[in-house]
Amino acid sequence: MSPLLLLMALVLCLVTAYYNGFHDASNAVSTAITTRSLRESTALAYAAVLNFVGALLGMGLTVVTADWALRLLGIGRLTEHLVDDPNLLATVLVVVMVVSLLWEILTWWIGMPSSTWHGFFGGFLGATVAIGAPADWWGLLTVLVTTLVVPMLAVSLAYLLMHLLRALGRTELVGTRELRFAQTASAGLVATAHGMNDARLPLALAVVLGATAQLPGIDLIVLMVSISAAVAAGTLMGGHRLIRTIGRRLTDLSPAQGLAAETSAAAVTGAALLGVDAPVSTSHALGASVIGSGVALGPRHVRWRVARSMVLTWVATPLVTALTTAVLVLAILGLRS
């Protein structure tokens, strides 16, 4: 593999980690900022630290091997097809990363949360079809199932938690002050779960690149710390457009709603991480949880036009990245022939 191509791809892994933190900062802090449980600067710093800790913890608890990375990314068949052409494989990985980053920039610009995981899976599917390798339809089914199940679980759990908090509020055992304190803790749980979940993606990409280039060995400690730092740095910058969408545009959040939504998102993401190498989206979990907390107060408390746009963005993400990646890979193949 060309050293320049390898270097470019590894740098893009860190850029992916950074922008993932920037794009998904809203997952951890939007509700806490909106309900004034935390000031924005404090919330972003808090989330950045816990994203760093969560990323290190998640990667440290993982048995990192090339097989694990291929299984997590769903590109086992693609790498088998390109085993004799490492430069093309690295080029495909670069194309997928660039397409996913461009889609995340676009969705950030329009203020709609999207899933990094689903963007990458769509890109890999498009590249696999363009290369002519057997598609991993089981992996695609897994993506479709999680796309449906995770939001449904999040909506349901947030709905139930909101009713529980309203019942506690009527007994005067829990007031606004206590809710805001609890929301600070739940925001920390979301940030930690996000770091544990999403840091695996750039790590797996780097491991596949190292194995493809037949490097004598990658210092995993340095790699994990670098990825964790990149996610934290991105979080510290904060994706303010997405924070407004999640915190203000979907519903008028109260501290109780914020606590219910964050607790639901952290629980769904954390439960899905237990031994599951699947694309679990914290963006889907939190967005759906905010909707669930609003529905608990009555359907009119949710701005359904915004919710519909958000769901359409979720559905469009793997489709757009798959089509765009396929077109670009076919163009590259045409130039090489």
Side-chain angles (χ1 to χ4, degrees):
M1 180 187 297
S2 163
L4 181 60
L5 182 58
L6 175 61
L7 178 62
M8 180 191 304
L10 289 174
V11 169
L12 274 173
C13 288
L14 292 178
V15 172
T16 296
Y18 173 86
Y19 201 80
N20 177 265
F22 174 83
H23 192 270
D24 290 359
S26 59
N27 294 337
V29 298
S30 55
T31 57
I33 291 171
T34 302
T35 61
R36 299 182 181 178
S37 297
L38 290 169
R39 291 187 301 175
E40 183 169 329
S41 58
T42 303
L44 289 172
Y46 176 56
V49 169
L50 289 178
N51 257 316
F52 181 83
V53 172
L56 277 182
L57 181 62
M59 291 186 290
L61 294 175
T62 301
V63 180
V64 180
T65 63
D67 287 341
W68 163 82
L70 294 173
R71 186 173 64 254
L72 183 69
L73 297 174
I75 57 173
R77 294 178 181 176
L78 178 64
T79 54
E80 288 176 5
H81 194 78
L82 298 178
V83 67
D84 296 325
D85 196 344
N87 280 324
L88 181 56
L89 177 58
T91 301
V92 167
L93 294 180
V94 166
V95 170
V96 172
M97 284 189 276
V98 170
V99 169
S100 297
L101 284 169
L102 291 175
W103 177 250
E104 287 199 330
I105 291 171
L106 176 62
T107 53
W108 163 78
W109 181 255
I110 63 176
M112 282 292 129
S114 63
S115 169
T116 305
W117 279 101
H118 290 76
F120 269 86
F121 269 77
F124 286 132
L125 178 63
T128 300
V129 173
I131 290 293
D136 184 5
W137 298 113
W138 177 255
L140 176 61
L141 179 62
T142 301
V143 173
L144 293 175
V145 168
T146 57
T147 302
L148 293 172
V149 172
V150 168
M152 290 175 62
L153 287 175
V155 166
S156 303
L157 183 55
Y159 179 87
L160 294 174
L161 287 172
M162 188 60 200
H163 277 295
L164 174 61
L165 290 173
R166 292 183 73 190
L168 289 174
R170 285 193 292 268
T171 65
E172 298 184 358
L173 293 175
V174 178
T176 302
R177 184 175 181 178
E178 289 77 14
L179 287 172
R180 284 179 172 164
F181 178 81
Q183 195 185 355
T184 302
S186 62
L189 288 175
V190 175
T192 305
H194 174 265
M196 292 180 68
N197 182 48
D198 285 35
R200 298 179 301 162
L201 179 56
L203 176 64
L205 288 166
V207 169
V208 170
L209 286 165
T212 302
Q214 297 182 340
L215 295 178
I218 296 178
D219 191 325
L220 284 177
I221 300 299
V222 173
L223 184 59
M224 289 178 181
V225 171
S226 299
I227 290 172
S228 301
V231 172
T235 303
L236 193 60
M237 295 299 294
H240 301 285
R241 292 174 184 266
L242 299 176
I243 289 173
R244 285 195 295 272
T245 297
I246 295 294
R248 297 187 180 93
R249 293 177 62 197
L250 270 175
T251 184
D252 295 319
L253 278 173
S254 66
Q257 286 176 272
L259 175 59
E262 289 173 351
T263 303
S264 170
V268 170
T269 305
L273 283 171
L274 297 177
V276 179
D277 286 335
V280 180
S281 172
T282 49
S283 296
H284 290 188
L286 185 70
S289 294
V290 170
I291 293 173
S293 70
V295 171
L297 299 179
R300 63 185 178 83
H301 287 271
V302 177
R303 297 182 181 95
W304 293 107
R305 181 182 60 81
V306 178
R308 183 174 62 251
S309 297
M310 184 176 68
V311 173
L312 288 175
T313 302
W314 293 350
V315 174
T317 294
L319 299 177
V320 170
T321 55
L323 180 61
T324 306
T325 302
V327 170
L328 291 175
V329 171
L330 286 172
I332 291 170
L333 291 175
L335 291 173
R336 285 172 52 121
S337 61

